[in-house]
Amino acid sequence: MSKKVLLSGIQPSGKPHIGNYFGMMKQLISQQNDNDVYFMIVDYHAMTSLKNSKIMKENIIAVLIDYLALGLDPKKSIVFKQSDVSEHTELAWIFDTITPMAYLERSVAYKDARDNGKDMNVGLFNYPLLMAADILLYDVDIVPVGQDQKQHIEIARDTAEKFNNTFGQTFKLPKEMIMEEVAVVPGTDGRKMSKSYGNTIPLFAEYEEIKSSVMSIVTDSSGGIPENVFAIHKLLRPEEELKKIYEEKAGKYKELKELLIEDLEKFIAPLREKRKEYEKDIDGALAILNAGGERAKAVASAKMKEVREKIGVDVY
Ligand code: ADP
Ligand code: TRP
């Protein structure tokens, strides 16, 4: 089987949660041995909501350390930040010029942001085209993401086709990889787990934080099985085994929550410890990021050279 190229991005906009891990990060990490994997920190995307230089810096470093603690291996994979490869914003502009406004107005993320009264900057509107550039520069085959990003990958595919039809074959059409069981990891209130809903279980939570998040899970139940507790627990144990336990302990919410706390602690504690190790060498981590940026830049600039030829601006 030939090697595939996988790429995904995460915004440096706060602490990752177990939804990010099971929905996206785990998929990327597990592919490192067999495929070419790009881990991208999309700082320019985060600028659509984050305008504080100190927090931006802290968050970029935090995401980098998170990835290293999860097992990103810089000898095998490339980790980089978007702002180190200026070809991303350059290509996004070219995509701006071939995309009808009305097409982007149909974006679910844009409509959500508008309907929720968010600060509607132009960056939020053409966010999907920067994301298309992120993907298409690297001839990516597969983009592991959670369900909420499905439409963005469709936009990347449509944009590649539009460019190819207009200027000649240039871009590969990427496919999303969405794992059905973890497409939408629910949060403590039963809605999608999300930083913006304040319903998360942080991926590197301390024990007390795990405890208070689990205790806050809303216990709507059917037949004594607390559904939201079960849905999160399912990430950590085989479903059949879990069903038996929940049936035996039907109605005993406190005991079931305690078991979930125990299982989460078993899963998180080693990750937390590894993270603390990596935190001791921030300079080493930054050197890895810097080197990753150079490797990504080499690939992206070759693709941009081709794009400039195709659109006819290469007059020298
Ligand atoms: P958030 O909604 O918390 O801000 P991001 O938008 O930063 O999360 O998402 C980063 C990645 O994690 C994306 O690929 C996204 O699809 C995935 N993801 C986020 N939340 C979940 C979830 N609850 N279940 C599955 N995947 C998720
Ligand atoms: N929009 C994605 C999110 O919010 C992040 C992202 C930016 C991304 N560029 C990407 C994901 C390219 C996959 C591929 O989660």
Side-chain angles (χ1 to χ4, degrees):
M1 231 176 52
S2 65
K3 271 194 174 184
K4 298 269 187 235
V5 179
L6 282 88
L7 171 147
S8 197
I10 190 159
Q11 297 192 45
S13 56
K15 284 187 194 173
H17 47 74
I18 61 170
N20 298 136
Y21 176 72
F22 287 100
M24 185 276 271
M25 297 164 119
K26 187 179 174 203
Q27 269 67 264
L28 269 190
I29 302 271
S30 68
Q31 296 289 330
Q32 293 183 101
N33 288 331
D34 308 317
N35 295 298
D36 293 331
V37 181
Y38 290 89
F39 298 81
M40 188 177 36
I41 301 173
V42 290
D43 44 1
Y44 280 162
H45 273 119
M47 271 203 76
T48 56
S49 57
L50 175 57
K51 275 107 179 165
N52 178 311
S53 62
K54 183 169 172 284
I55 297 177
M56 178 67 95
K57 268 190 192 154
E58 284 170 4
N59 285 0
I60 290 171
I61 293 171
V63 175
L64 172 66
I65 302 279
D66 294 341
Y67 266 133
L68 292 170
L70 291 174
L72 183 160
D73 181 349
K75 288 194 202 75
K76 294 182 183 143
S77 307
I78 293 183
V79 58
F80 74 104
K81 70 181 167 69
Q82 193 182 35
S83 61
D84 281 347
V85 185
S86 51
E87 283 77 0
H88 291 235
T89 40
E90 185 179 354
L91 183 58
W93 170 259
I94 293 169
F95 289 162
D96 279 349
T97 67
I98 62 168
T99 307
M101 294 268 292
Y103 174 79
L104 280 191
E105 275 163 7
R106 293 202 295 270
S107 150
V108 176
Y110 162 71
K111 281 195 260 181
D112 273 1
R114 190 194 50 198
D115 296 347
N116 290 323
K118 263 203 180 172
D119 147 40
M120 282 313 300
N121 53 63
V122 176
L124 260 183
F125 183 64
N126 66 3
Y127 182 112
L129 296 181
L130 179 57
M131 180 157 163
D134 293 341
I135 298 168
L136 300 178
L137 279 170
Y138 300 93
D139 288 334
V140 170
D141 297 291
I142 299 167
V143 188
V145 281
Q147 181 69 30
D148 59 337
Q149 297 299 313
K150 189 175 164 49
Q151 192 190 33
H152 285 154
I153 316 294
E154 280 163 17
I155 295 175
R157 244 189 337 261
D158 286 352
T159 306
E161 278 195 304
K162 178 85 186 255
F163 188 98
N164 291 346
N165 289 337
T166 312
F167 297 107
Q169 180 59 39
T170 309
F171 295 115
K172 200 168 200 173
L173 306 190
K175 283 201 179 66
E176 67 274 11
M177 173 165 115
I178 299 174
M179 307 298 278
E180 204 183 321
E181 333 72 80
V182 288
V184 188
V185 173
T188 52
D189 57 0
R191 292 187 294 170
K192 167 188 141 46
M193 187 176 289
S194 173
K195 276 165 256 169
S196 41
Y197 295 155
N199 63 356
T200 68
I201 299 177
L203 179 54
F204 297 95
E206 294 292 338
Y207 181 72
E208 284 306 319
E209 213 176 348
I210 296 176
K211 214 167 133 184
S212 61
S213 316
V214 171
M215 285 308 170
S216 76
I217 298 177
V218 180
T219 45
D220 289 339
S221 76
S222 72
I225 309 274
E227 283 170 12
N228 297 332
V229 183
F230 185 85
I232 295 174
H233 216 152
K234 217 168 60 178
L235 301 166
L236 304 166
R237 281 191 196 230
E239 195 166 346
E240 281 314 305
E241 179 190 319
L242 207 61
K243 260 192 190 148
K244 257 196 220 141
I245 301 175
Y246 273 65
E247 275 157 19
E248 275 165 25
K249 294 186 186 294
K252 297 181 179 158
Y253 300 151
K254 186 156 177 288
E255 272 183 47
L256 290 168
K257 282 188 169 180
E258 278 164 2
L259 183 63
L260 175 58
I261 293 170
E262 222 176 90
D263 284 351
L264 276 168
E265 172 65 8
K266 264 189 223 149
F267 164 65
I268 290 177
L271 298 177
R272 212 167 54 207
E273 293 319 306
K274 263 203 198 149
R275 196 181 189 288
K276 285 183 185 147
E277 283 305 306
Y278 279 102
E279 253 184 330
K280 290 180 191 155
D281 184 16
I282 304 281
D283 288 345
L286 286 175
I288 290 171
L289 186 67
N290 199 355
E294 284 171 17
R295 287 169 69 194
K297 178 104 186 165
V299 179
S301 64
K303 183 58 92 180
M304 260 325 284
K305 183 169 184 296
E306 192 186 338
V307 169
R308 289 199 202 99
E309 284 163 13
K310 290 273 165 59
I311 63 176
V313 298
D314 63 328
V315 295
Y316 305 111

